[in-house]
Amino acid sequence: MRLSRLAATLAVALPLVTATASAASSPAPSPIALTSVLPAVAEAQPDPGNDFRLTAGTVIVGAGDVAGQLAAALRPATGFALPVGTMPAANAITLRLQPGHGDEGYRLTIRRDGVELLATGRAGLFNGVQTLRQLLPSAIEADTPQRRKWIIPGGTIDDRPRYAYRGTMLDLARHFHTPDEIRTHIDRISRFKINHLHLHLSDDQGWRIRIDAWPRLTEIGGAPGTGVGGDGGGFLTKDDYRGLVRYAADRNITIVPEIDMPGHVNAAQIAYPELTCDGVAPRQRTDMRVGYSTLCVRDEITYRFVEDVIRELAEMTPGPYLHIGGDETFATPHGSYLAFQRRVLPLVEKYGKIPYGWHEIGQSPAAATSVLQFWGRERNHPAVATAVAAGAKVIMSPADHTYLDMEYDLLTPGGLDWAGAIEVSTAYGWDPATLLPGIPATSILGVEAPLWSETLHTEDDIEFLAFPRLVAIAELGWSPRATHDWDSFRARLGAYGPRWVRDGVRFHRSPEIRWS
Ligand code: TNX
């Protein structure tokens, strides 16, 4: 009942782009506008009256696995067979590779006689399919008159990303989340063309990835009771991790592993007291304080440990980046921090990966070939500017706009508040290109929204804090600057609500949005 009322509201509230089409002609116009997609598409040319209607006879044509993914996504809702073939056909959605659409871009042409999706590669096809899914009504429109169902609005979309890197982070250290929960999260985020998932795999409380050369890291650091407040615990086996890498890749997402060092290492030092300068194991810590632990920068064993960890992580990570943390090292003297980075950043390159770290690594001259993740709230950052001038690249994660673990407001449950309350308009209201003065556009790889897990326990907690704010960050990262418009964004977001309801996503019903 409630669902069908939502659906009815959705159909009425959305602008009827095809309203001018002849009412007498069949099919009836789509209730969805070509421009309603999240994140906003780069270019759209509606062609009212040229809508495509998906029917029991529609076929999907395409050689690769994305055609199968599209069919699998549409079958449950429509109840149609949607066979997948490789021979050209009528009444078809055709996926085809064609050069000229960029690494992740695509062209989608929707006409009465068929739909064609063109892309240079698999990533573009995947992105085009996400767009196509949003152009179909959501399955909850059960009482919509049959003739209005499964209509895709006519026209052409030419779309491509503003930035190559559009990420989010999940902290597995403060509260562990199982591979199943991570897969569900991957499903959710991939709908919005997020293409990197950064996993924060170690911290003071726990160590969450198996390292064969140092097995006690997970035997002790991944034991029950190693979450914040003595909760939970757990870790990923190498098979778990490799499985997640593949699952993510199928959804155009690259996993970015992080081991945080030289600070945030209390769990590692309990497992291996030789990683402290005095050789004494520290006590277990499951509180939320930061900045008190440090590796022993002058000891050679530290670098044997770090190299083993980097080598084993690099071996199971096909993606280009390996994140070595580097934040909040209040227990590491400045000179020691620089000495540490001088040895560790090149180790990442030795194993074929691009060194990536929180922006503090920018203090090191060795960071010139690294990627800095800017998480600050200040807007003038000389060390970041110097590193960028020397060649470093930047990913923008300003805490006061992108931190998904900040509370929405004083009333919503969960989240911290040190970077302020972040409602949807705050997450949306900034520009990665101009946030830091003096950083040239060519040095910015993209955006990432981190989700630290101090206050997260369940999958619902993840979803509540991530959605809808992550979609705001996805749009800043994907859509051209010229399309950014709060009123347009909030209207499209409001119309998306019923899809999250259908998918069982417990999103924050922000009072800033008029939800359908
Ligand atoms: C700061 S931002 C941290 C994390 C905490 C987070 C909580 C950053 C690089 N470090 O250690 O989990 O705040 O919001």
Side-chain angles (χ1 to χ4, degrees):
M1 261 322 271
R2 195 162 58 88
L3 294 188
S4 53
R5 220 178 313 122
L6 274 171
T9 322
L10 171 68
V12 174
L14 280 170
L16 291 174
V17 145
T18 48
T20 52
S22 153
S25 70
S26 158
S30 163
I32 302 199
L34 198 65
T35 50
S36 66
V37 180
L38 287 166
V41 298
E43 295 167 50
Q45 281 191 327
D47 184 4
N50 221 344
D51 292 352
F52 176 78
R53 178 169 177 188
L54 205 71
T55 65
T58 302
V59 298
I60 295 183
V61 178
D65 67 315
V66 180
Q69 287 182 336
L70 175 63
L74 300 185
R75 279 178 196 135
T78 60
F80 300 146
L82 302 175
V84 180
T86 51
M87 298 303 285
N91 187 11
I93 301 177
T94 304
L95 281 61
R96 208 155 51 79
L97 294 179
Q98 182 193 67
H101 301 279
D103 281 348
E104 285 195 275
Y106 62 91
R107 170 176 295 167
L108 186 59
T109 308
I110 299 147
R111 305 195 325 190
R112 185 182 292 266
D113 58 354
V115 173
E116 186 181 50
L117 172 58
L118 300 174
T120 309
R122 183 187 182 278
L125 291 181
F126 182 87
N127 288 328
V129 162
Q130 305 320 305
T131 293
L132 197 50
R133 293 175 71 176
Q134 288 188 33
L135 294 176
L136 276 158
S138 75
I140 60 169
E141 294 173 280
D143 60 357
T144 305
Q146 184 59 34
R147 65 190 194 88
R148 284 181 65 120
K149 275 178 133 187
W150 316 129
I151 309 289
I152 308 177
T156 302
I157 288 176
D158 269 295
D159 202 10
R160 66 200 76 88
R162 180 185 192 197
Y163 292 114
Y165 189 109
R166 306 167 308 277
T168 187
M169 186 201 84
L170 187 60
D171 172 6
L172 299 187
R174 273 54 176 271
H175 278 105
F176 181 66
H177 297 284
T178 64
D180 270 346
E181 291 170 330
I182 300 167
R183 278 189 284 271
T184 301
H185 194 51
I186 288 171
D187 289 341
R188 309 281 194 234
I189 66 178
S190 65
R191 303 291 286 267
F192 305 102
K193 305 183 175 87
I194 292 288
N195 66 354
H196 287 80
L197 176 62
H198 165 183
L199 296 176
H200 183 76
L201 293 167
S202 69
D203 216 298
D204 290 315
Q205 296 83 352
W207 187 285
R208 310 297 181 199
I209 180 77
R210 164 81 184 186
I211 300 294
D212 292 336
W214 299 74
R216 291 207 300 276
L217 290 171
T218 44
E219 286 164 13
I220 294 172
T226 52
V228 163
D231 282 355
F235 64 90
L236 301 175
T237 66
K238 286 192 164 178
D239 280 350
D240 288 337
Y241 181 86
R242 290 196 180 99
L244 287 170
V245 165
R246 280 194 302 272
Y247 190 88
D250 285 347
R251 288 150 188 82
N252 195 39
I253 289 176
T254 301
I255 298 285
V256 179
E258 177 191 351
I259 295 297
D260 206 345
M261 53 182 135
H264 295 268
V265 292
N266 201 64
Q269 291 178 323
I270 296 172
Y272 292 99
E274 55 269 48
L275 296 176
T276 64
C277 279
D278 62 8
V280 178
R283 68 180 172 90
Q284 192 189 0
R285 295 279 298 260
T286 58
D287 59 278
M288 305 201 308
R289 294 262 301 284
V290 296
Y292 55 82
S293 62
T294 181
L295 290 172
C296 188
V297 170
R298 62 165 194 263
D299 277 2
E300 274 313 301
I301 189 169
T302 294
Y303 302 97
R304 288 216 303 280
F305 166 76
V306 168
E307 182 159 358
D308 286 340
V309 169
I310 289 174
R311 187 187 62 248
E312 291 194 29
L313 264 188
E315 269 167 15
M316 54 182 167
T317 301
Y321 302 112
L322 199 149
H323 200 304
I324 49 102
D327 59 315
E328 298 173 326
T329 50
F330 313 134
T332 319
H334 184 64
S336 304
Y337 185 82
L338 296 183
F340 180 82
Q341 298 301 359
R342 190 163 56 242
R343 290 191 62 175
V344 170
L345 292 170
L347 278 179
V348 177
E349 291 177 323
K350 174 176 172 186
Y351 292 100
K353 299 297 169 189
I354 298 170
Y356 183 14
W358 300 105
H359 69 249
E360 287 95 322
I361 68 166
Q363 300 166 56
S364 167
T369 50
S370 302
V371 176
L372 316 184
Q373 183 165 13
F374 178 74
W375 63 279
R377 284 175 290 163
E378 62 279 52
R379 297 297 174 249
N380 268 306
H381 211 291
V384 170
T386 306
V388 167
K393 305 288 186 205
V394 182
I395 287 174
M396 292 291 178
S397 301
D400 49 337
H401 291 289
T402 69
Y403 267 36
L404 300 177
D405 65 314
M406 292 301 119
E407 60 190 18
Y408 285 96
D409 59 35
L410 291 172
L411 298 174
T412 47
L416 303 173
D417 61 6
W418 63 263
I422 303 182
E423 250 300 350
V424 184
S425 57
T426 304
Y428 191 74
W430 63 290
D431 181 18
T434 55
L435 184 87
L436 293 186
I439 305 286
T442 49
S443 300
I444 301 174
L445 296 182
V447 291
E448 181 176 299
L451 181 48
W452 300 97
S453 66
E454 283 92 336
T455 68
L456 301 181
H457 301 268
T458 63
E459 210 166 270
D460 278 356
D461 296 340
I462 296 177
E463 290 172 355
F464 182 77
L465 289 174
F467 299 116
R469 287 181 291 196
L470 180 57
V471 186
I473 304 306
E475 178 147 313
L476 299 184
W478 174 275
S479 311
R481 178 76 184 105
T483 65
H484 298 177
D485 178 77
W486 169 243
D487 286 330
S488 156
F489 178 71
R490 62 194 282 270
R492 285 177 282 122
L493 194 56
Y496 195 91
R499 294 175 196 266
W500 276 327
V501 172
R502 174 200 60 196
D503 293 342
V505 177
R506 189 187 159 235
F507 63 103
H508 167 52
R509 291 190 155 269
S510 164
E512 295 185 332
I513 308 299
R514 205 163 339 111
W515 297 100
S516 296

